[in-house]
Amino acid sequence: MENKLPAWDDLRVLLEVHRGGSFLAAGLQLGLSTSTVARRIGALEKDLGRALVHRTSQGAWLEKEALELIALAERFEQSLRAHRRDEGGRSPYAGRIRVSVPDGFGGGAAEAATRFRRLHPETQLEVISELRFVDLSSREADLGVRGGRSSSPVLIDKPLGEVESGLFASGDYLSRSLPKRFLGADDYREQDFVVEDETPRGQGPSRWLMQRGAARFPFRSNSMEARLHAAKGGMGLVMLGLGASKDHPELLPVRLETPLPSLRFYLTMHKDLRKVPRIREFAATFEAVFAEYLAAQAAARRRPRR
């Protein structure tokens, strides 16, 4: 059987491994997970019938045959850029991507957009963080992050992972109101909570807290940024995803007798868009960013309580 010709997508991964010196660096540049980079390199080696890259604890080094492919990939990359300039930006990635995310996911979407634009500056990205989810089935947005599977037959959902949350508060609040930093079954009624401004009240996170006796909600807001600011100012306990806690060192975790319920999220799109190059690749970039969030979540779960 003749060896297959290498695909450009796989050559581009090899090129970034060469430039970055590791699978991790290549993944960060391309917006892919390390496992996806390894899978792409493995596919390239299988197509060509020989080993190209060797991984070590210090990084990755390439065989001589791989360096010849690197030169080919660089020439192709230069030709592709010139062609895109000649075409006046009419590349498969020219156009807009509109992404709808829940409150609190805007930072991750912006990070994915930043990585994507490094590779495809011809793409325009819009991120909408909103309480009312746009209608993906009628194409009000191209991609949406949702806390459950869709029921529409024209939409497809890809699982992103399960987000775990905890309760956090400022050191000032804890020293005044919860010095033991432990919330038992009978402690909720005596604590202040910073929560979403929900309608009707008693739904979502507030409902979970109220079921445990919480009754004091001195600050409500539909903005995650506002809730975090209030909690940092000592107004009460706030729910925060474990994967995001590393970005808010001013907030300290509270041990819980009953863990908060976790929520599985999905990346949803219209099935007609799954073959559009810019949509497909941005979805992969967002998945890589979310995978990093889940890794930070696992690290926070293992981290000793201060």
Side-chain angles (χ1 to χ4, degrees), residues 135-173:
D135 187 354
L136 295 169
S137 60
S138 62
R139 305 279 294 274
E140 290 183 0
D142 302 305
L143 292 164
V145 177
R146 299 292 183 260
R149 288 188 179 276
S150 61
S151 58
S152 172
V154 302
L155 297 179
I156 55 176
D157 306 296
K158 182 159 187 184
L160 289 171
E162 199 163 298
V163 172
E164 300 175 30
S165 297
L167 286 173
F168 294 77
S170 68
D172 175 62
Y173 177 85

Side-chain angles (χ1 to χ4, degrees), residues 35-56:
S35 61
T36 299
V37 171
R39 189 164 59 250
R40 291 278 189 87
I41 293 297
L44 183 59
E45 291 176 330
K46 182 178 179 181
D47 288 345
L48 296 175
R50 58 182 184 271
L52 300 172
V53 182
H54 298 276
R55 296 178 71 180
T56 70

Side-chain angles (χ1 to χ4, degrees), residues 32 119 252 305:
L32 302 174
L119 294 172
L252 305 178
R305 303 293 186 180

Side-chain angles (χ1 to χ4, degrees), residues 6-20 22 25-27 29-32 36-37 40-41 44 62 69-70 72-74 76-77 80-81 84 93 115-116 118-122 277 280-282 284-285:
W8 163 241
D9 283 348
D10 294 335
L11 281 178
R12 187 175 62 170
V13 173
L14 180 67
L15 182 59
E16 291 302 335
V17 170
H18 172 66
R19 288 170 173 172
S22 71
Q29 179 63 30
L30 294 171
L32 302 174
T36 299
V37 171
R40 291 278 189 87
I41 293 297
L44 183 59
L62 277 62
L69 287 173
I70 291 298
L72 174 65
E74 288 177 334
F76 185 82
E77 183 182 57
L80 184 61
R81 287 174 177 170
R84 286 176 176 172
Y93 300 95
R115 297 182 189 182
F116 189 83
R118 292 193 191 114
L119 294 172
H120 306 294
E122 63 271 42
R280 183 178 65 246
E281 287 208 24
F282 181 80
T285 304

Side-chain angles (χ1 to χ4, degrees), residues 105 145-149 158-166 240-244 259-267 286-287 289-301:
F105 281 76
V145 177
R146 299 292 183 260
R149 288 188 179 276
K158 182 159 187 184
L160 289 171
E162 199 163 298
V163 172
E164 300 175 30
S165 297
L240 177 63
L242 298 184
L260 287 162
S262 58
L263 184 60
R264 181 168 293 276
F265 283 92
Y266 299 84
L267 188 61
F286 188 89
E287 289 171 38
V289 171
F290 200 90
E292 293 172 15
Y293 174 92
L294 294 180
Q297 174 176 277
R301 198 188 309 117

